[in-house]
Amino acid sequence: PFYNDEYTAVGKYGTGSIYEFLKSEIIKKGGTIHLNHEIDGIEQDGDELTKIKIKEKKDQSLDKESLIVSTLPITLTAKFLGYKSKLKFRGIRSIYISINKNRVLPKKVNWLYYSSKDIIFNRITEPKTLSPYVSDNKTTYLCAEITYSKNDKIDQLSFDKIKKIITKDLIKTKLIKQEEIISFSENKEDFVYPVQFTDYKYELSKTNFFVSRYNQLFNLGTGGNFEYYDSQVLFHKSMDLVDIINSKNY
């Protein structure tokens, strides 16, 4: 119902398979992808960006015709350009639990939300219920999502400690038994949910005003636009940006 009359789907082999396809298309069309490049700063001359500084790598020189589409958190982009934004984000620790069981969640259920303060995770998802191709017939896996703010207790918990808490809470919810757990893995992302504090719109307008004075720079994505999007919305926003860049008015 959220996407009324609109085709929707999930990645057959998981979300990553969609981006692997995009990667192959970029390379096929002559593009290049540089991983493990940490942006260390952005140099400018007036309202013109002149260089992207890359930590321990060769810097990227820019000219007036250069176009930069940044998916960095807008707070970080602003910081690189000399403005300290007061905007804030919440992050997610995603803990993946491999389970020696064909299925965990009840039929017709893909995820469960938890609001109890006695349970560490906010949501449990079982990706195999969305696509059977992400695991074999005998096993499955869960994703436990835990929201946090940078440097809070959740953020500072060690991986070993958080594994023990999640195990205890999964058993408490009667989803699994201790002996069914095979292994754990983790992914952390600091910039996921924009925080809508009092007067955040005023701060957002100030941040956007500062960043938007650079005509070579376009911000995109949850972090870049300070607005939470799922993948389908992100693709639409990306296509809209391509239309803007290719328009005669740009």
Side-chain angles (χ1 to χ4, degrees):
F2 184 74
Y3 300 100
N4 189 35
D5 295 328
E6 183 177 341
Y7 173 77
T8 59
V10 297
K12 181 176 180 179
Y13 299 106
T15 304
S17 63
I18 299 171
Y19 295 97
E20 286 295 330
F21 170 76
L22 291 176
K23 171 188 171 183
S24 65
E25 289 296 301
I26 289 170
I27 293 172
K28 189 187 300 183
K29 295 181 184 299
T32 56
I33 298 172
H34 302 282
L35 302 178
N36 300 315
H37 280 55
E38 181 180 345
I39 306 300
D40 202 29
I42 303 174
E43 293 185 0
Q44 69 266 18
D45 181 8
D47 290 341
E48 181 182 341
L49 304 179
T50 58
K51 183 181 292 186
I52 298 175
K53 300 180 70 176
I54 304 171
K55 191 174 183 178
E56 298 179 355
K57 305 281 185 180
K58 184 180 179 182
D59 294 340
Q60 176 66 54
S61 296
L62 306 171
D63 58 34
K64 291 182 180 180
E65 302 302 316
S66 299
L67 290 178
I68 305 101
V69 177
S70 173
T71 59
L72 291 173
I74 193 169
T75 49
L76 185 55
T77 302
K79 180 181 177 182
F80 285 150
L81 297 173
Y83 178 74
K84 187 175 181 179
S85 176
K86 296 178 183 177
L87 296 174
K88 300 176 182 179
F89 289 87
R90 291 272 281 167
I92 288 182
R93 289 187 77 160
S94 299
I95 313 296
Y96 300 93
I97 311 102
S98 178
I99 307 293
N100 189 22
K101 192 175 181 178
N102 177 260
R103 182 180 177 120
V104 172
L105 298 184
K107 289 183 179 180
K108 297 184 179 181
V109 175
N110 306 111
W111 50 77
L112 294 172
Y113 288 88
Y114 294 86
S115 59
S116 172
K117 293 181 179 179
D118 297 326
I119 302 294
I120 193 172
F121 40 77
N122 310 107
R123 180 169 70 173
I124 290 288
T125 304
E126 187 172 3
K128 189 178 177 181
T129 64
L130 297 166
S131 173
Y133 299 95
V134 298
S135 188
D136 60 41
N137 291 330
K138 295 182 180 180
T139 64
T140 187
Y141 71 95
L142 302 175
C143 175
E145 297 174 60
I146 311 164
T147 53
Y148 68 91
S149 296
K150 193 63 180 170
N151 297 319
D152 70 5
K153 291 181 180 179
I154 297 296
D155 184 33
Q156 294 179 1
L157 279 174
S158 69
F159 183 41
D160 285 338
K161 180 66 174 176
I162 208 165
K163 284 193 298 184
K164 292 178 182 177
I165 298 173
I166 285 175
T167 299
K168 175 177 64 70
D169 286 352
L170 284 172
I171 294 171
K172 185 189 298 184
T173 59
K174 298 182 179 181
L175 288 176
I176 64 165
K177 298 176 182 178
Q178 173 81 50
E179 59 269 22
E180 292 173 333
I181 297 175
I182 300 172
S183 62
F184 289 84
S185 61
E186 177 185 27
N187 181 67
K188 281 184 75 177
E189 174 56 56
D190 293 339
F191 304 93
V192 179
Y193 297 117
V195 178
Q196 297 184 355
F197 54 86
T198 304
D199 292 336
Y200 87 92
K201 288 186 177 180
Y202 176 63
E203 181 58 32
L204 178 58
S205 67
K206 286 169 57 179
T207 306
N208 276 327
F209 176 78
F210 185 86
V211 172
S212 64
R213 64 190 177 125
Y214 300 96
N215 292 329
Q216 303 145 288
L217 177 64
F218 295 89
N219 291 291
L220 182 67
T222 292
N225 294 141
F226 198 74
E227 188 170 349
Y228 182 75
Y229 303 135
D230 62 14
S231 291
Q232 280 139 208
V233 175
L234 286 172
F235 280 114
H236 279 295
K237 290 286 185 179
S238 299
M239 290 184 281
D240 289 344
L241 179 57
V242 170
D243 289 340
I244 290 171
I245 292 174
N246 288 332
S247 71
K248 294 180 180 180
N249 294 326
Y250 172 69

